[in-house]
Amino acid sequence: MDKPHLYEEDVSHADSLSELKAEAEHCTRCHLYRNATQTVFGEGPQRADVVLVGEQPGDKEDLAGRPFVGPAGAVLDKSLAEAHIDRNRCYVTNTVKHFKFEPRGKRRLHSKPNATEIRICSWWLKNELELIRPKIVVALGATAAGFLVGNSVRITKDRRKIFHPEGLPPVLVTIHPSYILRIREREQASAEMREFVRDLAEIAKYFSA
């Protein structure tokens, strides 16, 4: 029998990220937990000045139980380093905590979470942000930007802009690093990488000394 769902009116009583993570490990709020290996919660310091939010864990993350440890994570790490930002001082997480995929033989291909899945799972992200209270949030890609800022946001026109949503810290909008991996032309990918580094460099001023 499935474990009981947490409902929208439920409030986490966790006093720390470790307690919240322990709660999330048993999450059955939506059906995605049934096929995923495990919940992939965020990681980083509870007093992080910067929170980086992606869409959902990928195949590597689902198996490892950690966010951004696959190919997109490698791009993120390299870009943060080039922007002179220490990833260890950031909190990294996703809007959706379980890997949604379609099986293709032995492979598991990423499948975009729908609006209901995002709405239900975002309960965890809201609690993460409430505990951390960062100075700025970086929305990596359309899913995170849409949830944090609103569905009218467009990465192409709003990239590098900083929004001020009600009840949230400022939000910087940029691409998801996986976008760079999908570019086949090397020069175009290099140019996109440079732009991504420029985007991330905008958050340097938000770190406490």
Side-chain angles (χ1 to χ4, degrees), residues 6 12-14 18-27 123-124:
L6 295 170
S12 172
H13 298 291
S18 60
E19 290 182 13
L20 188 66
K21 180 180 180 180
E23 289 183 20
E25 288 173 355
H26 306 289
C27 180
W123 187 87
W124 296 108

Side-chain angles (χ1 to χ4, degrees), residues 16 48 136 195:
S16 67
I136 191 167
E195 287 300 303

Side-chain angles (χ1 to χ4, degrees), residues 28-102:
T28 59
R29 289 176 62 81
C30 76
H31 64 97
L32 293 183
Y33 80 94
R34 294 191 178 104
N35 296 320
T37 303
Q38 58 195 312
T39 304
V40 181
F41 203 70
E43 66 177 22
Q46 180 154 330
R47 293 294 171 249
D49 292 320
V50 175
V51 173
L52 302 157
V53 182
E55 180 188 85
Q56 67 166 348
D59 181 77
K60 301 288 188 192
E61 290 79 7
D62 173 72
L63 296 173
R66 297 179 57 209
F68 285 95
V69 294
V75 172
L76 178 62
D77 286 350
K78 185 173 187 296
S79 301
L80 286 169
E82 291 187 11
H84 305 291
I85 293 168
D86 184 356
R87 171 170 164 164
N88 291 326
R89 295 185 65 189
C90 303
Y91 185 85
V92 184
T93 190
N94 283 295
T95 313
V96 172
K97 308 302 192 208
H98 285 115
F99 179 36
K100 182 180 180 180
F101 63 91
E102 294 180 4

